[in-house]
Amino acid sequence: MLRLALWLLCLPILASAHEVQLVSQYVDLGKAGGRGIQEDLIGRVELNRKWKVGLQGTYLERFDLYEKRAGGSVQYRPTDALTVEARYLQGMGNDILAEKDGYLAAYYALAPGLSPYFIYRHAAYSVTNVDTYQLGLEIEKIQSIILIPQVLLGNATFKSPNETKGVYSVGLRAVYYQESNYSLFAFGFRGKEASQGIIGKSSILVDTTTFGGGAGYNFTPATRAELIFDHTDYEELKNQFMTTTLNLVWVI
């Protein structure tokens, strides 16, 4: 995390457009007792109109475990309509965080007010492998309002017992905005996911419900900040996850 922070301090000499994101997660472990935290620090720079690169670091404390991971991302925009992004994170000896986490995404402006996107993710945990495919559609047919329905389907493969089970998520995100001024958003998701990323070496699926909201504000035409809160309830485990995301973007 220190190396990543030092890299972020060098952003002004690397590019003219920058983004820094701090994600803080607080966990109420319910049945297991105790508390937990997770911190993600993400930095991105726009090298030119087509290329954007970034670094990410994660630190986690939970169940007397102290885990880390780090990696980077590359975003390529070959045309005004198409954006492709790849991300990879690596951890070593983790029980909760994925030891290998890969992500491929494509976003396409199909028609005025319609922009579909597709995301594939492979997360390799110590006893679980998860592959998911997510499809979403940004719909802007009403002035100043964006609706984003999305669905995620995939499989969780466990090492012990040796079996594969289906995971899924469905949800909706709604955004109200005033161009170059501010935005307000709310979202909700319902699904089923593998438990290792929640409580460690466990080979079960759990129901999950997430809801949240936030706001963004343009302080100047070149500076924007977003603050997002979300709450996730893992019903069978009696766990509550509260996450705060602060996103800063500026251009010089």
Side-chain angles (χ1 to χ4, degrees), residues 112-163:
L114 294 175
S115 300
Y117 60 89
F118 174 79
I119 300 172
Y120 166 71
R121 182 187 176 198
H122 172 75
Y125 299 86
S126 58
V127 298
T128 309
N129 287 333
V130 180
D131 292 277
T132 57
Y133 306 85
Q134 180 177 327
L135 182 63
L137 178 64
E138 293 189 7
I139 305 169
E140 188 177 1
K141 293 298 185 179
I142 303 173
Q143 185 176 359
S144 299
I145 295 177
I146 303 174
L147 299 176
I148 312 172
Q150 65 183 56
V151 59
L152 177 147
L153 299 172
N155 290 304
T157 301
F158 305 111
K159 295 180 181 179
S160 179
N162 186 9
E163 60 183 358

Side-chain angles (χ1 to χ4, degrees), residues 7 11 14-15 17-19 42-48 50-56 72-76 85-86:
W7 182 84
L11 284 174
L14 296 176
H18 318 101
E19 180 179 357
I42 304 165
R44 302 183 184 93
V45 296
E46 186 176 289
L47 302 178
N48 52 49
K50 290 188 175 183
W51 292 96
K52 182 184 290 187
V53 298
L55 292 176
Q56 178 174 346
S73 65
V74 177
Q75 187 182 96
Y76 177 55
E85 183 178 0

Side-chain angles (χ1 to χ4, degrees), residues 58-236:
T58 305
Y59 176 73
L60 175 144
E61 293 183 11
R62 201 179 305 168
F63 303 119
D64 295 324
L65 298 172
Y66 305 90
E67 301 185 352
K68 296 177 290 184
R69 66 180 180 183
S73 65
V74 177
Q75 187 182 96
Y76 177 55
R77 191 180 183 190
T79 70
D80 290 340
L82 177 64
T83 301
V84 180
E85 183 178 0
R87 183 186 68 195
Y88 180 76
L89 300 173
Q90 176 73 57
M92 297 294 292
N94 291 334
D95 288 328
I96 296 176
L97 293 176
E99 296 184 333
K100 297 179 180 179
D101 194 342
Y103 168 107
L104 291 172
Y107 308 84
Y108 187 70
L110 180 64
L114 294 175
S115 300
Y117 60 89
F118 174 79
I119 300 172
Y120 166 71
R121 182 187 176 198
H122 172 75
Y125 299 86
S126 58
V127 298
T128 309
N129 287 333
V130 180
D131 292 277
T132 57
Y133 306 85
Q134 180 177 327
L135 182 63
L137 178 64
E138 293 189 7
I139 305 169
E140 188 177 1
K141 293 298 185 179
I142 303 173
Q143 185 176 359
S144 299
I145 295 177
I146 303 174
L147 299 176
I148 312 172
Q150 65 183 56
V151 59
L152 177 147
L153 299 172
N155 290 304
T157 301
F158 305 111
K159 295 180 181 179
S160 179
N162 186 9
E163 60 183 358
T164 298
K165 295 182 178 180
V167 296
Y168 74 91
S169 175
V170 294
L172 176 68
R173 183 183 299 267
V175 182
Y176 174 79
Y177 72 95
Q178 292 295 318
E179 192 72 42
S180 301
N181 192 356
Y182 69 90
S183 60
L184 303 171
F185 36 90
F187 50 87
F189 302 93
R190 173 74 176 172
K192 189 178 288 288
E193 65 181 79
S195 63
Q196 181 162 3
I198 310 165
I199 58 175
K201 293 181 177 179
S202 176
S203 300
I204 61 173
L205 299 182
V206 294
D207 293 322
T208 174
T209 302
T210 298
F211 60 88
Y217 184 74
N218 292 69
F219 293 96
T220 71
T223 307
R224 176 176 174 82
E226 290 184 343
L227 187 61
I228 305 167
F229 299 95
D230 67 73
H231 175 276
T232 300
D233 181 15
Y234 295 99
E235 298 170 7
E236 298 96 325

Side-chain angles (χ1 to χ4, degrees), residues 24-28 229-232 239-244:
S24 299
Q25 185 179 83
Y26 170 79
V27 182
D28 181 346
F229 299 95
D230 67 73
H231 175 276
T232 300
N239 287 176
Q240 309 289 323
F241 282 40
M242 283 70 74
T243 305
T244 301

Side-chain angles (χ1 to χ4, degrees), residues 2-22:
L2 177 60
R3 292 181 181 178
L4 178 60
L6 292 174
W7 182 84
L8 294 177
L9 292 176
C10 296
L11 284 174
I13 66 173
L14 296 176
S16 60
H18 318 101
E19 180 179 357
V20 176
Q21 190 174 68
L22 176 63

